[in-house]
Amino acid sequence: MGQVPAPVAPALTRAQALAQLTAPGQPHELVDVLVHGRTRRWYRNAPGSLREYYEQGISDLTFLVYENERLSFSQSWRIASQIGHAMVHDYGIGKGDRVALSMRNYPEWMIAFMAITSIGAIAVAMNAMWQHDEMAYGLRDSGARLLFADQERLDRLSQCGPIEGLKVIAVRPRGDCAPHAEWQQLLADMAARGLRDVPMPAVEMALDDPVKILYTSGSTGHPKGVVTSHRNALAALWSWELDARAGELMAGITPPVPTVQPATLLAVPLFHVTGLNAVFLTSFRLQRRIISMYKWVPEQAAALIEKERITSFVAPAAMTGDLVRTATVTRHDLSSLMVIGGGGAPRAPEQVKRIDEVFANAMPNTGWGMTETCAIGSGIGGPEYLQRPASSGRCPAVLELRIVDAEGKTLPAGERGELLVRGTSVFNGYWNRPELNREIFTDDWFHTGDVAYLDEEGYLFIVDRIKDIIIRGGENIGCGKVENVLLMHPQVHEVAVYGVPDERLGEEVGATIRGSADLDLDQLRAFLQQHLAAFEVPRYLIKADEDLPRTPSGKILRREIRLKALGQLDLPAA
């Protein structure tokens, strides 16, 4: 079972711990600042930009590990500086320009992100599973001037047609990548020009400048670009650190000084806010080694944990569940694991208990957050989590949570309603979506679309979703988007897409279709694979014999259709 250090000091309440840690003169001192005309809580001692944050973490410790490749923090920063110099001087990238990333979790992804966000540009972290039409939409919608892409994404890009003003740098191509530039050749050419140790170009940046765009699926239409600033990102990073210190004070323990460098396993995609913020960006302050996997294979993950003495693993419930099952049968030594974190999708209470039972030293933790909140919103871990395995934890010091009814009235503890959030890590709006931005904020409060309640002690419990979103293994899938693609097929007349419970992934995609009599479901699936990412293609396709039921106003009764489908599939309705 997970081992908790014995208390060495009187335990504090959460309020006492936060008050002590954020008081004047403390490293996590909080002050009030104005951001876009709104008062926000801010860390007085936080860096002034992500670039400054990176620079504070430069050291000779190992940073990025991929297969047999190893780079230190200082080596990674040197390469990032070369890439930053090339972007500014060879590609004309300036402040506010968008630069897209579309590849697997290679070291180049993280190095390019460091470079982009250090020269005042905006990093567009594109979903690497997008097919060519989705990729083209993201590039055109963001107005990206430069794209870093690996071979799989280059192949899809070739099907996109011309994208005005876009240049490409190929990463790990398998052969001639002309007419695009190639990452390693670019670095070699710079070294030949005497620019191997060139400094990162100097650029004036402000905390509230936009720094990244991540696309998130909605209930209808195209994915939406979530624009966040340096301040948003740093607020999340420092809040996780503050909550960790508060947890130690609450438990009355002093953590031992580490004798080995901490290490984390990167298996969740970097285009996902968990991989980007909670795994990659947190590693600078922790001076933590990142071991990146090409793709998720549980047995390979166990081997890497043993080989690299990995201390933490953060991933959606599907992946942590895989690791729990693997741990019961593998011969690999997993005792180095101290933390198994969650995010992206709810974790079943039974899995929380199993983590504590199966691993010698690892304690579970989790939290609730969104792309729109930089992955933070609430958090819980250790004994607290084991006592409340259905909870997502309590709110960090720089955010506020509120539960409201349909009329917007704040509900008392224990009553269910829509979860609203506001604070320093919350984004300011979606890219190029002013009409939507007016709808999603009410007096500075962001409507999450989640149904939740807060108990008397402030613990958050997520119980449902208002939006028609399926969360499959931590990936958001918009029902409307999948329906729109299904309706592109000439033999599909009506369709309803819904979530189907799945033990491993949380939910799978299901679709009920009314189409022509000779509609072939295998051919339909092949059609969908050309237009949707693999994770978006419905696992369950059900043909309806009659018109789909609708409301008097013409809306398809998705819930009624879903319940009927679960009965046909002999699956639970929950």
Side-chain angles (χ1 to χ4, degrees):
M1 294 178 65
Q3 301 297 310
V4 180
V8 296
L12 303 180
T13 66
R14 178 173 170 81
Q16 290 170 333
L18 290 176
Q20 179 176 314
L21 291 167
T22 60
Q26 295 300 309
H28 291 86
E29 177 184 351
L30 280 172
V31 294
D32 288 338
V33 296
L34 277 179
V35 181
H36 301 301
R38 307 279 189 176
T39 301
R40 294 285 183 256
R41 299 290 280 161
W42 178 241
Y43 297 101
R44 181 187 292 276
N45 301 310
S49 67
L50 279 180
R51 173 176 175 158
E52 185 179 330
Y53 176 75
Y54 307 142
E55 291 175 328
Q56 291 176 356
I58 295 172
S59 74
D60 290 329
L61 289 175
T62 302
F63 179 31
L64 303 178
V65 178
Y66 176 71
E67 296 182 346
N68 295 322
E69 304 168 28
R70 306 178 89 83
L71 291 169
S72 68
F73 284 91
S74 57
Q75 288 171 322
S76 301
W77 181 249
R78 177 180 59 77
I79 299 170
S81 298
Q82 287 182 280
I83 296 297
H85 185 278
M87 283 193 288
V88 170
H89 296 285
D90 298 336
Y91 288 87
I93 300 298
K95 186 174 180 178
D97 285 338
R98 276 76 65 203
V99 179
L101 296 157
S102 188
M103 66 181 95
R104 290 186 181 266
N105 285 358
Y106 294 130
E108 289 89 341
W109 198 108
M110 292 173 271
I111 291 170
F113 184 90
M114 292 162 62
I116 296 162
T117 55
S118 293
I119 62 169
I122 302 172
V124 182
M126 298 179 66
N127 190 321
M129 290 185 254
W130 278 350
Q131 294 304 305
H132 71 275
D133 46 356
E134 297 168 302
M135 189 178 187
Y137 171 80
L139 290 168
R140 292 189 176 110
D141 181 66
S142 66
R145 293 188 54 200
L146 181 63
L147 167 68
F148 292 89
D150 62 10
Q151 187 64 57
E152 292 168 272
R153 266 44 65 176
L154 292 173
D155 292 343
R156 292 174 198 167
L157 182 67
S158 67
Q159 304 174 56
C160 290
I163 297 177
E164 185 178 355
L166 181 70
K167 295 182 180 179
V168 179
I169 295 176
V171 174
R172 301 181 188 244
R174 296 188 297 268
D176 185 7
C177 61
H180 309 311
E182 191 272 325
W183 176 284
Q184 289 296 341
Q185 188 59 51
L186 179 67
L187 296 179
D189 291 345
M190 291 189 69
R193 292 156 52 196
L195 299 174
R196 184 180 182 277
D197 295 309
V198 67
M200 186 72 75
V203 179
E204 287 191 16
M205 288 182 285
L207 271 166
D208 298 306
D209 287 343
V211 71
K212 54 186 168 70
I213 299 174
L214 275 70
Y215 279 87
T216 182
S217 294
S219 57
T220 59
H222 290 294
K224 307 179 295 292
V226 176
V227 187
T228 50
S229 67
H230 294 267
R231 191 191 301 273
N232 295 148
L234 289 165
L237 299 175
W238 277 60
S239 291
W240 279 316
E241 190 175 295
L242 171 61
D243 282 348
R245 301 290 82 78
E248 292 160 4
L249 291 180
M250 290 162 60
I253 62 173
T254 300
V257 177
T259 56
V260 296
Q261 183 188 9
T264 190
L265 184 65
L266 174 62
V268 64
L270 284 162
F271 60 76
H272 192 288
V273 71
T274 300
L276 175 54
N277 285 19
V279 181
F280 167 43
L281 291 179
T282 55
S283 295
F284 287 87
R285 285 275 288 184
L286 296 170
Q287 288 290 282
R288 186 172 62 184
R289 190 166 77 252
I290 299 174
I291 293 85
S292 182
M293 296 186 72
Y294 179 76
K295 67 177 181 179
W296 175 244
V297 179
E299 179 60 28
Q300 289 180 10
L304 282 171
I305 291 168
E306 178 179 46
K307 177 184 175 183
E308 296 286 346
R309 306 307 296 157
I310 286 169
T311 54
S312 69
F313 176 53
V314 179
M319 295 167 69
T320 56
D322 286 345
L323 189 62
V324 169
R325 288 185 287 272
T326 301
T328 62
V329 297
T330 186
R331 295 181 179 180
H332 294 295
D333 178 7
L334 307 183
S335 61
S336 62
L337 273 175
M338 303 300 292
V339 174
I340 298 179
R347 178 187 274 157
E350 181 59 30
Q351 188 186 126
V352 180
K353 298 173 185 176
R354 288 290 290 158
I355 290 170
D356 185 52
E357 292 167 355
V358 169
F359 293 91
N361 300 308
M363 293 295 289
N365 70 24
T366 194
W368 168 86
M370 304 174 70
T371 307
E372 290 88 341
T373 68
C374 287
I376 196 168
S378 66
I380 190 168
E384 266 193 306
Y385 191 20
L386 293 170
Q387 293 164 12
R388 303 168 184 83
S391 177
S392 297
R394 291 190 278 189
C395 186
V398 299
L399 292 177
E400 297 174 80
L401 302 178
R402 178 181 168 208
I403 308 295
V404 300
D405 62 16
E407 286 71 46
K409 179 184 175 182
T410 300
L411 295 171
E415 290 198 26
R416 299 180 177 192
E418 184 180 9
L419 173 62
L420 274 58
V421 59
R422 71 177 177 185
T424 320
S425 73
V426 180
F427 79 140
N428 201 46
Y430 295 112
W431 181 258
N432 289 335
R433 302 291 289 273
E435 73 296 335
L436 182 57
N437 294 335
R438 287 190 289 270
E439 295 176 12
I440 59 171
F441 287 98
T442 299
D443 295 330
D444 199 26
W445 289 93
F446 171 60
H447 288 257
T448 69
D450 287 323
V451 178
Y453 69 90
L454 291 162
D455 71 9
E456 295 285 352
E457 297 178 272
Y459 287 94
L460 177 69
F461 293 80
I462 305 290
V463 296
D464 205 346
R465 289 190 303 280
I466 295 171
K467 302 174 184 178
D468 292 321
I469 293 288
I470 298 165
I471 302 181
R472 180 188 181 277
E475 285 294 333
N476 286 3
I477 301 169
C479 292
K481 175 188 175 182
V482 179
E483 288 172 351
N484 289 341
V485 173
L486 278 161
L487 290 168
M488 288 167 53
H489 194 284
Q491 291 180 295
V492 173
H493 305 150
E494 290 183 306
V495 64
V497 171
Y498 41 77
V500 176
D502 184 84
E503 182 179 353
R504 177 175 178 269
L505 295 170
E507 289 181 299
E508 274 280 8
V509 185
T512 297
I513 302 148
R514 185 183 70 82
S516 58
D518 57 345
L519 173 64
D520 184 281
L521 293 183
D522 289 335
Q523 291 180 3
L524 177 60
R525 194 178 300 278
F527 170 84
L528 295 174
Q529 289 167 350
Q530 297 175 31
H531 299 279
L532 292 171
F535 69 89
E536 296 171 318
V537 175
R539 176 178 176 183
Y540 303 100
L541 291 173
I542 298 173
K543 287 180 70 172
D545 297 324
E546 54 190 11
D547 291 348
L548 301 186
R550 293 177 177 266
T551 66
S553 64
K555 278 191 174 184
I556 286 178
L557 292 167
R558 192 193 308 272
R559 178 174 174 78
E560 180 179 318
I561 294 166
R562 176 180 180 272
L563 289 173
K564 181 178 179 181
L566 295 183
Q568 291 176 265
L569 297 168
D570 195 27
L571 291 169

